[in-house]
Amino acid sequence: MKYIDEFQDPELARRLLDDIHATVTRPWALMEVCGGQTHSIIRHGIDQLLPEEVELIHGPGCPVCVTPLEVIDKALEIASRPEVIFCSFGDMLRVPGTGRDLFQVRGEGGDVRVVYSPLDALRIAQQNPDRDVVFFGIGFETTAPPNAMTVHQARRLGIPNFSMLVSHVRVPPAIEAIMASPSCRVQGFLAAGHVCSVMGVGEYPDLAERFRVPIVVTGFEPLDILEGVRRTVRQLERGEHTVDNAYARAVRPEGNPAAKAMLEDVFEITDRAWRGIGVIPDSGWRLSAKYRDYDAERRFSVDGIQTREPAECRSGEVLQGLLKPHECEAFGTLCTPRTPLGATMVSSEGACAAYYLYRRLDLTTPAGREVSPVV
Amino acid sequence: MSDITDLPVPALDPEAWTCPAPLRDRPRVVMGHGGGGALSAELVQQVFAPAFGGEVLAQMGDAAALSLGGVRLAFSTDSFVVRPLFFPGGSIGDLAVNGTVNDLAMSGARAAYLSCGFILEEGVELEVVGRVSEALGAAARTAGVEVATGDTKVVETGHGDGIFINTAGIGLIPAGVDLRPQRVVPGDVVIVSGAIGVHGVAIMSVREGLEFGVEIESDCAALGDLVDAMLAVTPDLHVLRDPTRGGLAAALNEIAAASGTGVVIRERDVPVPPTVANACAILGLDPMYVANEGKLVAFVPREHADAVLEAMRAHPLGADSVIIGEAVEAHPGMVVARTGLGGTRVVDLPIGEQLPRIC
């Protein structure tokens, strides 16, 4: 397929793998920040093909996984109100809050709609002036600009019945929190390419220098990931720790100025809780004072939510790279995509779901055994 | 299990290292119960089958294989709730015929008679009902099947979605034909009759107002002729399945589970048209789970595979048929894909609906 097949070419992948194998002399632990990268690594079996010395640790970059339970519960509360049309991206509908999810709210009569763009939610608001339309604004630097633009548009067009439940998060403070943790094993980062296509790479040199860790901006196709691994390993073997852009076809150093300007206008930086991890300073965005009228939390006064989470789930450790999904005792038994204990098993980008969906066979098959005849 | 609050990560708040309550029991029906995946299967196995009883139902085929007065019959029913009623490449009328005809064809039967039940929503234009009926009649004539009986109900505005249609059909199973997953054995070759994911993406493109640069037409078609052509080569096909809801992944998983064999497919050989692959890449969907309406997947004894493939390719609806894998002894009940890069991955049964990803 044009533009994608090129980045899945087995022959080129083999050459990159050969180069990585030839470069590595000792063990290295790399973290891919983004859940989309985790998904691609597991789906294409990239981790099976890398040298044993290269360990990939799965980072916290799944927007669905890290949205705090309290925010999910607020979404469930707002979506249950008869006057509300609650709009969300599809994969948030299955994330469990305290005791139920948005699918369940819809089954109980709530008007919950899947949209493909926040602007669709704004259009629904225009078409339903007698209803309150709320959009669930979550995600990293990638989804924040279009959401910001939607709020901007709502104000510009004077659409009074639209608001947004905002829980946006930022990647660099999460990297900082992971690196600052004494138990951190991460020696190099594959930074999320689409985040950098918006924000550029300006936030990373200080982190690379301070923690003496290479940060390589990496895309999502198999060859992108192999190239990211290759460049990171090369730096580590040479004792270097710079910021390197291996996704130049999408990422300019300065990022996307228009998107950044929109973010700056509509949002302001705030402390944000990450589900399974805890509060990370300055790691989120909320609506700025100028746009506070479009804040669904204020409009629907959903304070005082009591959340309840069982202790069995260890997704917090998975999100920090302290635990591989299959090392959790609940993995594949108590906890499956059908019966998820935590968001990392629910979300299609979650590390636990990726392991369960794609890697269950290896985890139940003795190492080195040929799983099936070559067909 | 160690207490996670003991972990030495003082830079972060250990109080927050907890996770949500499981949603094991759903007290109400959700959309996923109709999605053709694990939730649908649970509904049938835990609610319907115990309530209805019966040996034939327990076979859980797309069509029931019956013996009546010494004659072997296939009997099947399906309901159609598609939105919009007309889409590129077809309509709810075409689907209502082809869906049931194909369920019968998967048991080797040529559909003979259909019943047709319309549930109309008060307010729907009669002109629309007429167009759907015309399409249904034309599809029946193309499939060589007669609509022999029917029923009409009207529900109040807001209690339907314009038009719902239920069809049921019967047909004769030819002598010597015995298509069921239990006949699959390791070594059987897996063939698909052409490009996958086309119908689902076509529907999505119009329902959600998404434009993918190229118009994608549904592959909606009746497969009786194609199955006849395959059976003419050998009646000894082991199982056929039309990968509708839940896509190719669901069909292969159902066969693997019911047969107790493993299935291995080569991912790069699965025919995904660039338009479908692009649309799925944009939406974060896996084409393996996207619905088809005019394709079949066949498990064929290895010695007949080449001849069956040749016969399929000679038919217009099977021109792009291709071998994608085989049944194996390893990992019984599980479907495994060999990735293009040389790794392996499990191809699981979908849970409910596939959901577009956030980014």
Side-chain angles (χ1 to χ4, degrees):
Chain A
M1 186 172 73
K2 196 164 168 54
Y3 306 129
I4 292 186
D5 270 355
E6 291 91 327
F7 298 98
Q8 300 188 358
D9 184 292
E11 179 52 36
L12 292 175
R14 175 48 56 197
R15 277 190 239 162
L16 287 171
L17 279 163
D18 288 347
D19 195 69
I20 294 167
H21 277 267
T23 305
V24 168
T25 62
R26 56 200 147 130
W28 299 112
L30 318 183
M31 175 176 274
E32 82 277 0
V33 170
C34 173
Q37 291 168 332
T38 305
H39 197 77
S40 187
I41 287 164
I42 305 298
R43 188 181 193 284
H44 294 283
I46 291 170
D47 54 334
Q48 299 166 326
L49 305 170
L50 288 171
E52 265 181 22
E53 291 87 349
V54 178
E55 180 188 2
L56 292 177
I57 297 175
H58 314 306
C62 163
V64 174
C65 301
V66 301
T67 301
L69 180 60
E70 190 185 1
V71 175
I72 306 278
D73 282 352
K74 285 177 178 173
L76 295 169
E77 162 69 23
I78 293 169
S80 300
R81 302 196 183 189
E83 74 274 23
V84 166
I85 299 172
F86 193 87
C87 301
S88 170
F89 293 129
D91 48 2
M92 286 305 294
L93 268 64
R94 211 158 42 207
V95 180
T98 302
R100 56 184 185 154
D101 59 17
L102 284 167
F103 270 128
Q104 199 65 51
V105 169
R106 194 159 80 175
E108 290 162 6
D111 194 344
V112 178
R113 302 187 190 180
V114 172
V115 292
Y116 296 87
S117 154
L119 288 170
D120 291 342
L122 197 59
R123 199 171 307 121
I124 291 170
Q126 284 177 302
Q127 291 162 351
N128 296 271
D130 54 336
R131 307 278 300 279
D132 270 305
V133 175
V134 181
F135 179 74
F136 201 176
I138 71 148
F140 287 89
E141 289 92 331
T142 332
T143 50
N147 292 356
M149 189 182 69
T150 305
V151 177
H152 177 84
Q153 283 285 79
R155 205 175 83 132
R156 195 176 71 80
L157 298 170
I159 301 173
N161 60 325
F162 176 83
S163 62
M164 195 175 285
L165 179 60
V166 177
S167 185
H168 281 295
V169 278
R170 303 171 58 230
V171 164
I175 290 182
E176 182 170 359
I178 287 164
M179 288 309 296
S181 166
S183 57
C184 175
R185 298 191 298 117
V186 179
Q187 294 163 295
F189 281 97
L190 309 183
H194 53 10
V195 165
C196 296
S197 70
V198 174
M199 302 305 289
V201 297
E203 296 173 292
Y204 294 114
D206 173 59
L207 286 171
E209 186 56 41
R210 216 156 18 109
F211 296 105
R212 305 184 65 77
V213 62
I215 300 177
V216 177
V217 179
T218 303
F220 301 87
E221 295 302 328
L223 294 191
D224 290 324
I225 289 164
L226 289 172
E227 177 63 9
V229 170
R230 191 177 75 92
R231 292 196 194 189
T232 312
V233 167
R234 203 167 48 183
Q235 282 202 46
L236 287 166
E237 290 282 345
R238 292 175 180 168
E240 296 170 356
H241 50 271
T242 62
V243 176
D244 185 11
N245 183 4
Y247 197 39
R249 73 178 186 277
V251 174
R252 287 176 296 176
E254 71 279 14
N256 181 333
K260 285 159 82 173
M262 187 57 73
L263 286 171
E264 200 164 318
D265 179 42
V266 176
F267 292 138
E268 63 189 20
I269 289 174
T270 182
D271 297 347
R272 180 68 74 190
W274 294 50
R275 189 172 197 170
I277 294 178
V279 174
I280 300 177
D282 294 336
S283 69
W285 275 301
R286 66 180 175 196
L287 289 166
S288 61
K290 188 170 152 192
Y291 293 93
R292 207 54 58 79
D293 288 349
Y294 293 91
D295 186 345
E297 288 195 53
R298 282 164 62 98
R299 201 173 283 197
F300 295 94
S301 47
V302 280
D303 292 334
I305 293 248
Q306 296 292 312
T307 60
R308 176 172 45 81
E309 294 190 290
E312 296 99 328
C313 179
R314 304 177 71 185
S315 69
E317 293 161 85
V318 173
L319 287 168
Q320 294 172 72
L322 300 175
L323 188 78
K324 286 276 164 62
H326 64 285
E327 292 164 0
C328 170
E329 287 176 17
F331 177 84
T333 53
L334 272 178
C335 186
T336 68
R338 170 72 186 89
T339 57
L341 278 176
T344 46
M345 186 60 95
V346 177
S347 162
S348 55
E349 289 187 7
C352 295
Y355 266 65
Y356 185 86
L357 291 175
Y358 299 139
R359 195 44 51 74
R360 221 156 60 245
L361 186 67
D362 309 342
L363 306 177
T364 55
T365 304
R369 178 181 147 192
E370 179 65 19
V371 293
S372 61
V374 175
V375 293
Chain B
M1 191 182 294
S2 63
D3 182 352
I4 58 172
T5 58
D6 290 337
L7 285 169
V9 195
L12 302 170
D13 176 12
E15 293 300 315
W17 295 353
T18 53
C19 231
L23 288 174
R24 281 162 206 291
D25 300 301
R26 291 172 181 272
R28 292 172 190 269
V29 170
V30 295
M31 289 301 287
H33 283 118
L39 281 176
S40 297
E42 280 178 21
L43 185 66
V44 171
Q45 285 159 9
Q46 295 171 14
V47 179
F48 295 144
F52 301 161
E55 288 174 21
V56 178
L57 184 62
Q59 295 170 5
M60 296 286 172
D62 280 352
L66 311 173
S67 184
L68 206 60
V71 177
R72 294 173 69 223
L73 291 173
F75 182 33
S76 184
T77 184
D78 209 339
S79 299
F80 301 86
V81 294
V82 66
R83 246 184 332 122
L85 299 174
F86 294 87
F87 48 82
S91 72
I92 190 171
D94 301 282
L95 283 179
V97 170
N98 295 338
T100 294
V101 163
N102 289 346
D103 283 348
L104 294 172
M106 296 309 110
S107 66
R110 193 64 191 257
Y113 295 104
L114 290 186
S115 75
C116 176
F118 272 76
I119 298 173
L120 307 174
E121 184 183 14
E122 183 183 29
V124 68
E125 294 93 339
L126 276 175
E127 182 266 336
V128 173
V129 180
R131 281 166 60 209
V132 168
S133 303
E134 290 292 331
L136 194 150
R141 286 186 289 278
T142 303
V145 61
E146 184 178 339
V147 178
T149 182
D151 177 56
T152 308
K153 296 284 186 292
V154 178
V155 295
E156 290 175 22
T157 303
H159 289 232
D161 208 358
I163 299 175
F164 297 152
I165 302 177
N166 172 274
T167 53
I170 54 172
L172 288 172
I173 301 175
V177 172
D178 181 16
L179 298 175
R180 51 195 167 89
Q182 290 77 12
R183 294 198 61 218
V184 170
V185 293
D188 280 2
V189 170
V190 182
I191 305 175
V192 291
S193 64
I196 68 155
V198 181
H199 173 74
V201 169
I203 291 286
M204 226 178 296
S205 68
V206 283
R207 182 161 69 194
E208 313 296 352
L210 301 171
E211 292 173 12
F212 302 120
V214 185
E215 181 166 290
I216 301 172
E217 288 206 348
S218 167
D219 56 357
C220 185
L223 296 168
D225 266 352
L226 177 62
V227 172
D228 282 353
M230 297 166 71
L231 289 172
V233 174
T234 172
D236 188 28
L237 306 176
H238 284 171
V239 70
L240 300 177
R241 198 55 67 101
D242 57 335
T244 53
R245 292 169 312 160
L248 185 60
L252 293 175
N253 269 280
E254 284 166 18
I255 292 168
S259 67
T261 62
V263 175
V264 175
I265 58 170
R266 291 178 301 261
E267 200 168 36
R268 286 185 85 82
D269 290 344
V270 175
V272 182
T275 45
V276 171
N278 280 324
C280 287
I282 289 166
L283 295 171
L285 304 177
D286 187 338
M288 295 276 287
Y289 294 93
V290 175
N292 312 274
E293 283 296 345
K295 297 296 182 307
L296 62 79
V297 55
F299 282 60
V300 181
R302 183 170 288 278
E303 63 269 28
H304 300 309
D306 289 342
V308 170
L309 187 65
E310 194 180 330
M312 292 174 76
R313 286 177 172 169
H315 191 281
L317 294 177
D320 299 321
S321 296
V322 62
I323 293 172
I324 61 165
E326 67 178 8
V328 295
E329 275 181 38
H331 51 81
M334 202 180 267
V335 181
V336 170
R338 281 193 186 282
T339 71
L341 299 191
T344 55
R345 69 177 176 104
V346 175
V347 179
D348 211 1
L349 190 68
I351 298 169
E353 301 169 278
Q354 247 205 131
L355 299 168
R357 291 217 310 261
I358 179 170
C359 63

